[in-house]
Structure formats: structure tokens, C-alpha cells
């Protein structure tokens, strides 16, 4: 990395910058229950952050079902509606805004890459008070979402930086796997409720509690904290 | 243990027999937000299963606040209301009913010990179809709830069995700690979303995915599965 600092920071959104993972879990469970399917919440939780299609495939396989593209769309629609009703209470984590502000001030480019769609992302990022110039890549903008690296690759291209010089920050193993496939370093956050062991096993090179904790330890990942 | 089998099984309820942990997380978050406090969902999740008073003390300490008995009561009331609204969709885990039925048929006594109150417990256990003679000890019936062992001690006394010969089944580290304080063996379940590492570190001697998975492996904890 140039001058000892990361070229850029690429952030996941749900569970990383905003506290929305548990609402996603409840929304998926509601979506399944509309079709009289019961999926255990903990099994949903462990798969949040994947693309909707891969997520549905994994959940259905676990129950011994197969899923068609059409049925996946149907469930994604039900989830979108259920999540929309839960979205109003969603807040950014302690330190999210301060971390992004610190990077901007330090002239370190950053972007957000999320498997979520445009509309949900627009609403979920409200609590972050992003400027209009912020780079946000959503699931609607790329062919394949996490654990494929497309979201983060697109984000780094848009920032004009090398992905190999970037640090990807996420709360799910799918973020960490996407980072490894992209050749970037991954930092894990515990704020999505995934265990440090799962994040470390997936390949996170450092693990912090939440954005505030990461901001306090930026020097550990080679970012100057002097102003 | 007598004849190689456990004298009794003592179960936690939320996250162990019924899939309600994520709803409890959302309900606590709602309760705090009524007082304009934001508590991160993952921090709530890791503390579900504790007594309300200890839970509130831990959460508030984490935010640098102190809490009075009066304020704890206030939050417990807010949580009760919020959880009540989410309770209608709560289901038992795959295998919960079958596991309890198997124990009954095998003449192995069992009971439920939950930190929750009478009313929430009555509603949450509906999906289990319990008979009126089932032994259910709630937080309203004892002085101290988990991680104190009182709930499980009272349950074993009611069943007329030695707690040391019992197996305590729970999804949270607070169940496992209560089991150890009571001198009972603890079995952990992943169905509450707590990691196997956390459960093992607390002292769970076996860990299964959910009640169905435990039922399939009862022989591993010394219970005959022959009918």
C-alpha cells in the first residue's frame, strides 16, 4: 500500500455501518411465513449479507427444497415489503459517521458496497447523512453480489483505486470471502452479531466491535490517525 | 446418573424450544428507543436469557450509565409491551414437540425454566402444546433468574429429582453458567444464534443445532433412544 496507508476503504452497509441485520432476519422470517414456511431465525442470521438468490438457495436446500428463479423473486419481493415496514427505526452504529468523516478529512477514498437494492439502501443510509457525492454500489447495479467480489470491484473502479490496496470492512463472512476473492484485506466487525471465530475463519485479518472501535484502532491497520 | 440415563431434562424456553430470541432483541431495542436510547442489537442479543435486572445493568454499564431499580422496571414494562406485539408469530423449533414427547414416553421427567414472566411464557409455550401437568418455572416464581441457578433448582425440586443428575439444555451462555452453578451437565443449542465457541467456553459439554438435532443424538448424552 502507498505510504503505509490503505488506498481506500470499502464498506458493507447492513450490520457494518447501520444496525439493520436483526430487522432483516425478522423480515425474511415474515416473508417465508407468508408461504407457510418456517425458517429458524438463527439460520437466516448466519446467511444475511449474501445475494438474495444465493441466500434463498441455501435456506431452501437446508430444508430439502429446491427453488426456482421465479419463486426467489417472489420471496425477495415479500422480504422487501416486510423490511420496508421495519426500516424506519434503523440507526447508524456508534462511530459510523465519525469514521467516514475521518477518512474524508484524511483524504482516504471510501465507498459502500451492499447486496441490498437501491430503495432499501437509500432509506438505510439516511442515518449516515451521506453527501450526494458518496460512492454507493447496490445490488441493483451489479450482476453478482456477495460473496462474489463484483460490488467491491465496481466500488474500487469508481474510486479509481486498486482493489488490492483497499481494505474491505464487513460484518458477515460473505464480506470477508468477497474481499479475499478480490485480493483485498478484510476487517471484520462484530456489530452484525456474527462471532469473531466465524469472521477469523473466513479470513478477517483484524476484528473490531463496531465502527467506533475500528475508528479508535485505525493505526493498527496502517491508517494515520493524526490530524 | 442412574442406569446411565439422565434423571431429568431441564430446558430453557426462548431460543431453546421456541424461536423467539430475535423478537426479544427487537423488542428490547424498541423499549430503549422509547427513552431515546440506542442500544446496538448484537449487544442485546449476547445478553438475552439473563434476568431483566442483570441484563439492564449490563447494557447500561456498557453505555456508561447507571440504572435504578425503578428505571429497570420501566424498561422491563416497555419490553413486555413491545414483545407482546411480536409474540403472535413465534413458533417452536423443529423437533421441540417431538423431543418432549420422546422424553415423556421414555419416562424421563422434564421441565422448563425460563427467565421470562408468566404471561409471556404462557403465550410463547402455546406452540409447544404442553399438557396442563407440564412443569414450567418462570421468572415470576423465583427470586433470582439466570445466570443464577434458582430456576433450574426449583424445577428439579418440583420434579423430585437431584439437580446433579439432570441435564440442562439452553441456547445462551447464561443457561450454561446456571447449569454449572447448579452442578448439572449443560447441553448447548445453536438455535438462539449464539456461537458454538461461546457455548463451549461457558462449559457446554455437548452442542447441537436445535431440538431436532439433539433428539437425533440423545444416545450421545446417555439417553436410550430405543422404544
Amino acid at each position: 500500500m502507498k505510504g503505509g496507508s490503505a488506498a481506500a476503504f470499502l464498506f458493507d452497509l447492513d450490520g457494518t455501518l447501520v444496525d439493520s441485520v436483526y430487522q432483516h432476519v425478522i423480515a425474511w422470517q415474515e416473508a417465508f411465513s407468508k408461504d407457510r414456511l418456517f425458517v429458524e431465525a438463527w439460520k437466516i442470521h448466519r446467511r444475511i449479507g449474501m445475494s438474495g438468490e444465493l441466500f434463498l438457495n441455501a435456506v431452501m436446500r437446508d430444508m430439502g427444497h429446491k427453488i426456482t428463479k421465479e419463486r426467489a423473486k417472489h420471496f425477495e419481493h415479500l422480504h422487501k415489503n416486510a423490511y420496508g415496514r421495519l426500516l424506519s427505526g434503523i440507526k447508524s452504529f456508534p462511530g459510523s459517521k465519525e469514521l467516514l468523516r475521518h477518512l474524508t478529512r484524511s483524504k482516504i477514498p471510501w465507498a459502500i458496497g451492499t447486496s441490498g437494492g437501491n430503495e432499501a439502501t437509500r432509506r438505510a443510509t439516511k442515518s449516515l447523512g451521506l453527501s450526494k457525492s458518496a460512492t454507493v454500489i447496490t445490488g441493483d447495479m451489479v450482476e453478482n453480489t456477495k460473496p462474489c467480489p463484483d460490488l467491491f470491484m465496481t466500488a474500487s473502479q469508481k474510486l479509481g483505486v486498486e482493489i488490492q490496496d483497499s481494505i474491505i470492512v464487513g460484518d458477515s463472512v460473505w464480506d470477508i470471502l468477497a474481499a479475499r476473492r478480490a485480493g483485498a484485506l478484510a476487517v471484520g466487525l462484530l456489530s452484525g452479531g456474527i462471532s469473531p471465530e466465524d469472521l477469523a475463519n473466513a479470513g478477517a485479518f483484524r476484528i473490531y466491535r463496531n465502527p467506533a472501535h475500528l475508528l479508535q484502532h485505525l493505526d493498527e491497520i496502517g491508517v494515520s490517525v493524526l490530524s
Side-chain angles (χ1 to χ4, degrees), chain A:
Chain A
M1 295 179 195
K2 304 165 201 161
S5 255
F9 273 73
L10 309 176
F11 293 96
D12 168 56
L13 179 62
D14 294 296
T16 298
L17 293 172
V18 299
D19 192 10
S20 54
V21 166
Y22 290 75
Q23 282 82 356
H24 272 299
V25 172
I26 299 284
W28 277 115
Q29 212 175 29
E30 259 188 63
F32 294 124
S33 76
K34 295 264 182 216
D35 268 22
R36 297 177 180 279
L37 281 175
F38 170 53
V39 183
E40 297 159 70
W42 70 288
K43 291 189 176 179
I44 297 174
H45 185 189
R46 294 178 58 84
R47 286 172 175 136
I48 293 284
M50 271 185 167
S51 85
E53 212 176 279
L54 292 177
F55 167 84
L56 284 162
N57 196 56
V59 165
M60 290 297 152
R61 183 192 60 228
D62 201 55
M63 300 177 74
H65 297 304
K66 282 204 171 178
I67 188 156
T68 58
K69 284 220 173 208
E70 198 185 344
R71 192 129 191 257
K73 274 220 168 66
H74 163 71
F75 280 126
E76 288 190 270
H77 179 73
L78 291 174
H79 165 261
K80 196 176 156 185
N81 287 347
Y83 182 61
R85 283 193 300 276
L86 296 164
L87 245 167
S88 63
I90 282 168
K91 302 219 166 30
S92 61
F93 284 114
S96 293
K97 281 187 272 192
E98 293 79 359
L99 175 58
L100 299 180
R101 212 180 298 142
H102 178 83
L103 294 175
T104 301
R105 261 199 238 121
S106 306
K107 299 203 166 55
I108 297 174
W110 57 266
I112 295 172
T114 170
S115 294
N118 286 337
E119 175 58 17
T121 302
R122 191 187 59 76
R123 289 184 61 192
T125 50
K126 261 189 188 168
S127 60
L128 292 170
L130 299 182
S131 83
K132 289 214 168 159
S133 61
T135 303
V136 181
I137 313 295
T138 71
D140 290 340
M141 302 179 188
V142 296
E143 184 75 24
N144 301 301
T145 63
K146 299 168 200 169
C148 293
D150 305 26
L151 281 163
F152 294 128
M153 301 294 273
T154 306
S156 68
Q157 279 157 20
K158 207 142 186 202
L159 294 179
V161 298
E162 293 292 330
I163 187 89
Q164 292 85 349
D165 297 335
S166 302
I167 288 178
I168 289 177
V169 183
D171 71 299
S172 77
V173 297
W174 322 113
D175 295 310
I176 313 296
L177 294 179
R180 292 182 73 177
R181 288 184 59 182
L185 277 179
V187 168
L189 297 188
L190 301 181
S191 39
I194 298 300
S195 73
E197 292 84 1
D198 279 352
L199 296 174
N201 289 342
F205 97 110
R206 296 291 300 171
I207 294 167
Y208 299 99
R209 291 166 65 80
N210 57 16
H213 194 217
L214 169 58
L215 176 57
Q216 283 159 14
H217 295 82
L218 276 179
D219 46 2
E220 292 185 352
I221 52 174
V223 177
S224 168
V225 287
L226 307 178
S227 52

